[in-house]
Amino acid sequence: MAGINLTNSVPSTFILTGIPGLEAEHLCISIPFAIFYFIGMLGNFTLLFVVGKEQTLHKPMYLLLCMLALTDIGTTTSIMPKALCIFWFNLKDITVGGCLTQMFFLYMSSIMQSAILVIMAFDRYVAICSPLRYTTILTNGRIAKLVLLGFLRAVLFSLPMPLLLSRLPFCANRIIPTTFCEHVAVAKMSCGDITDNKTYGLVTIFLVTGSDLMLIALSYGLIIRAILRISSKKAHQKAINTCTAHISVMLMYYTPGLFSNLTHRFGQGIAPYIHIILSNLYLLLPPMLNPIIYGVKSKELRDKVGKYTCRS
């Protein structure tokens, strides 16, 4: 990414302002942001450690949780260290290459996370609708292939964003009024036509998120149909319980994500600092809550975590 040359007279660095209008409150704002970030990192690294150490957890469900944890770590780490440097040390400069690299990894992690949620929905569908064939349908090898396919899709959809920006004239404007290099925010600095950038951003949202939501809706439609056919109330409740964690994580990811992206593009009447705070919280809260939700809902995982954390 650092080797991409921007056209015209673009300076070697951009300036990330943080949260415009709330500069005096940066230190106070940084406290919850830092807490959310460190709790999220602790939870996700704990999940990775426990699943890695426990052979009994080397199953598709827990391997997918590890992949979700990796995307959570990638998403928050791509933005929070720089944001905290802005809040704590007023280090606002970021190189052009660093900005484009941050953007690429941010979007790649986010798109990859959406793919993992789709695979997890398929995992729940097989577990409920074809439980006797679960181990033959969802082998670790098949999960690895699905994850690799999701990774390739994430790279292919993320790479055009910095490439499109590399074609824009920036006319020496280098102030980005946010805490991280968001695609449209950087594009708006240009003095050229950014129609292609806006169009590609919207196409990516609706094509990637839209197709993923359709696949998830299809999976849960089939799951609901299977649950309604279950006569035993106990089995009915058990089937619902197997899906609640995934549904919670899914709602936390897609609902604020769509709201944040759409209001950033169309919510002209909303104060800029609201957009920025919402964008940061959207990227911080799910990674913090995901391991907690699965730790609470999965007794097997909870017991294994307790085995290591409660050692004397």
Side-chain angles (χ1 to χ4, degrees):
M1 290 296 169
I4 295 175
N5 292 318
L6 300 186
T7 59
N8 291 358
S9 57
V10 180
S12 60
T13 61
F14 291 145
I15 296 176
L16 292 166
T17 60
I19 305 179
L22 296 178
E23 289 86 355
E25 310 299 328
H26 273 180
L27 187 58
C28 294
I29 294 170
S30 73
I31 295 172
F33 279 23
I35 291 172
F36 295 159
Y37 176 59
F38 289 120
I39 290 176
M41 294 293 283
L42 177 63
N44 284 298
F45 274 114
T46 299
L47 190 151
L48 290 171
F49 172 78
V50 171
V51 174
K53 292 284 286 184
E54 292 293 328
Q55 194 70 30
T56 57
L57 296 181
H58 291 181
K59 305 172 185 176
M61 175 183 171
Y62 295 108
L63 294 179
L64 287 172
L65 282 181
C66 286
M67 292 308 304
L68 187 65
L70 287 173
T71 60
D72 283 341
I73 291 169
T75 300
T76 54
T77 302
S78 65
I79 65 161
M80 278 315 298
K82 181 58 184 176
L84 293 177
C85 284
I86 295 170
F87 293 150
W88 291 344
F89 309 114
N90 204 35
L91 298 176
K92 299 181 178 181
D93 287 2
I94 185 170
T95 64
V96 173
C99 183
L100 297 182
T101 300
Q102 182 192 60
M103 182 187 303
F104 171 75
F105 282 105
L106 171 62
Y107 285 105
M108 186 188 70
S109 298
S110 184
I111 293 172
M112 184 65 191
Q113 188 172 40
S114 185
I116 297 298
L117 291 174
V118 173
I119 301 171
M120 292 174 82
F122 178 61
D123 170 79
R124 293 300 85 203
Y125 160 72
V126 176
I128 292 172
C129 299
S130 301
L132 298 179
R133 300 174 57 205
Y134 180 83
T135 55
T136 57
I137 294 175
L138 280 179
T139 62
N140 289 349
R142 191 161 291 163
I143 289 294
K145 290 177 183 177
L146 290 172
V147 169
L148 178 60
L149 187 63
F151 174 76
L152 292 175
R153 184 191 71 156
V155 172
L156 289 175
F157 273 97
S158 301
L159 192 57
M161 295 184 189
L163 292 178
L164 283 170
L165 286 172
S166 71
R167 299 168 56 246
L168 291 175
F170 280 81
C171 306
N173 179 23
R174 63 192 193 114
I175 298 175
I176 307 173
T178 183
T179 57
F180 59 91
C181 291
E182 195 271 335
H183 178 226
V184 175
V186 177
K188 285 180 178 178
M189 296 165 52
S190 172
C191 53
D193 184 7
I194 63 170
T195 302
D196 289 345
N197 299 76
K198 288 185 174 181
T199 301
Y200 184 76
L202 284 173
V203 167
T204 301
I205 291 172
F206 288 108
L207 193 59
V208 174
T209 306
S211 62
D212 287 354
L213 283 173
M214 285 177 61
L215 290 171
I216 290 172
L218 176 62
S219 295
Y220 274 96
L222 295 172
I223 287 171
I224 291 170
R225 187 179 70 175
I227 290 175
L228 292 176
R229 290 177 177 177
I230 299 173
S231 57
S232 168
K233 287 187 178 180
K234 185 176 181 181
H236 189 230
Q237 187 62 42
K238 183 178 179 181
I240 293 174
N241 286 339
T242 62
C243 298
T244 52
H246 179 255
I247 292 172
S248 300
V249 169
M250 186 178 61
L251 289 174
M252 279 195 308
Y253 175 78
Y254 287 112
T255 306
L258 285 171
F259 179 78
S260 176
N261 277 295
L262 293 176
T263 55
H264 185 78
R265 286 167 171 79
F266 304 115
Q268 303 302 322
I270 301 175
Y273 68 85
I274 298 294
H275 288 299
I276 297 167
I277 291 174
L278 286 176
S279 296
N280 280 273
L281 289 177
Y282 156 60
L283 295 170
L284 277 173
L285 289 178
M288 179 187 73
L289 295 175
N290 288 348
I292 296 173
I293 290 171
Y294 276 102
V296 170
K297 294 301 294 182
S298 172
K299 185 178 185 303
E300 187 178 13
L301 179 60
R302 188 168 65 247
D303 291 343
K304 297 300 182 183
V305 171
K307 171 183 171 182
Y308 291 95
T309 57
C310 296
R311 281 178 174 178
S312 56

